[in-house]
């Protein structure tokens, strides 16, 4: 089964992040969810962003990359919002990546590499009226990435929630979260099938 490294969002390693990881585990995948906030979680996004500002985005990103070095390179990287940064960086720059899922965030091509690596499937998920995703340029970056490679799929959901797949937060959207989870499991299944075929 797939080996997954899942990076949490700016509110920390919430119960919702653990719950999402558990769904993937129940499907047979191995999922590691590092705590990049040293145990800090926040009920409000603004508080999480304030903490992020205090410790520095670079610190969090580098911590995520350092965690990945403890695992074989053949990983699937999943990031939620803040967690997109280490997930996308690793998928684009660490040879051997098997896939990536970017939720409610996407860095522009050129930040980590001018192109997306061939043969590495990536899904980008976001809501079409989410200000954090749309107004910050992440949607534009996602559209450019999806247009640049056949390995990328962009999934847009109707709504304005940012952390819509975290069941522990008020932003949670059951229908969108269900669809996202189904699509992620499909991707992991294809990656696993491809690994078995190659083996």
């Amino acid at each position: 089964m797939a080996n997954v490294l899942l990076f949490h969002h700016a509110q920390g390693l919430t119960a919702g992040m653990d719950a999402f990881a558990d769904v993937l585990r129940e499907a047979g995948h191995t999922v590691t969810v590092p705590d990049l906030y040293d145990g800090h979680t926040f009920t409000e996004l603004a508080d999480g962003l304030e903490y992020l500002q205090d410790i520095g985005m670079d610190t969090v990103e580098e911590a995520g990359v350092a965690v990945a070095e403890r695992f074989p390179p053949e990983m699937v990287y999943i990031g939620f919002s803040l967690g997109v940064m280490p997930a996308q960086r690793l998928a684009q720059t660490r040879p051997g990546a098997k896939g990536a899922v970017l939720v409610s965030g996407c860095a522009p091509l050129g930040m980590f590499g001018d192109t997306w690596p061939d043969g590495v499937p990536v899904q980008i998920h976001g809501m079409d009226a989410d200000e954090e995703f749309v107004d910050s340029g992440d949607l534009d970056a996602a559209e450019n990435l999806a247009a640049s490679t056949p390995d990328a799929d962009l999934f847009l959901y109707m709504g304005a929630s940012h952390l819509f797949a975290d069941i522990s937060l008020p932003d949670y959207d059951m229908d969108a979260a269900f669809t996202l989870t189904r699509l992620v499991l499909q991707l992991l299944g294809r990656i696993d099938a491809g690994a078995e075929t190659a083996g």
Side-chain angles (χ1 to χ4, degrees):
M1 304 304 282
N3 290 312
V4 177
L5 196 54
L6 190 158
F7 297 106
H8 63 73
H9 47 67
Q11 288 175 241
L13 181 49
T14 60
M17 288 289 88
D18 280 330
F20 184 84
D22 284 342
V23 172
L24 306 187
R25 292 181 183 117
E26 288 168 6
H29 305 291
T30 300
V31 185
T32 301
V33 192
D35 186 350
L36 305 180
Y37 270 18
D38 293 325
H40 295 86
T41 58
F42 302 91
T43 57
E44 298 294 333
L45 179 58
D47 294 332
L49 292 174
E50 183 177 349
Y51 178 76
L52 174 63
Q53 187 174 13
D54 288 343
I55 63 175
M57 178 66 220
D58 289 346
T59 299
V60 174
E61 185 180 323
E62 292 298 335
V65 172
V67 167
E69 295 301 323
R70 304 205 300 260
F71 295 89
E74 298 82 14
M75 302 290 290
V76 178
Y77 302 105
I78 299 178
F80 285 76
S81 191
L82 163 68
V84 162
M85 299 303 284
Q88 185 170 343
R89 174 176 166 180
L90 287 161
Q92 281 193 258
T93 65
R94 191 182 189 210
K98 291 298 184 181
V101 178
L102 314 176
V103 184
S104 300
C106 183
L109 287 174
M111 178 172 285
F112 303 122
D114 292 336
T115 60
W116 188 261
D118 290 338
V120 179
V122 54
Q123 293 181 351
I124 310 113
H125 300 262
M127 285 203 157
D128 61 2
D130 168 22
E131 293 181 359
E132 293 286 338
F133 182 61
V134 176
D135 295 346
S136 63
D138 290 60
L139 176 56
D140 289 339
E143 290 174 338
N144 290 337
L145 174 55
S148 75
T149 171
D151 293 315
D153 291 304
L154 172 59
F155 300 99
L156 281 178
Y157 307 84
M158 292 181 61
S161 296
H162 186 57
L163 301 177
F164 63 91
D166 187 323
I167 197 171
S168 68
L169 298 178
D171 253 6
Y172 181 69
D173 183 300
M174 183 175 65
D175 291 339
F178 178 84
T179 301
L180 179 149
T181 304
R182 175 175 56 80
L183 290 168
V184 171
L185 288 172
Q186 288 177 355
L187 175 65
L188 296 180
R190 290 197 303 271
I191 290 170
D192 183 47
E196 290 179 356
T197 302

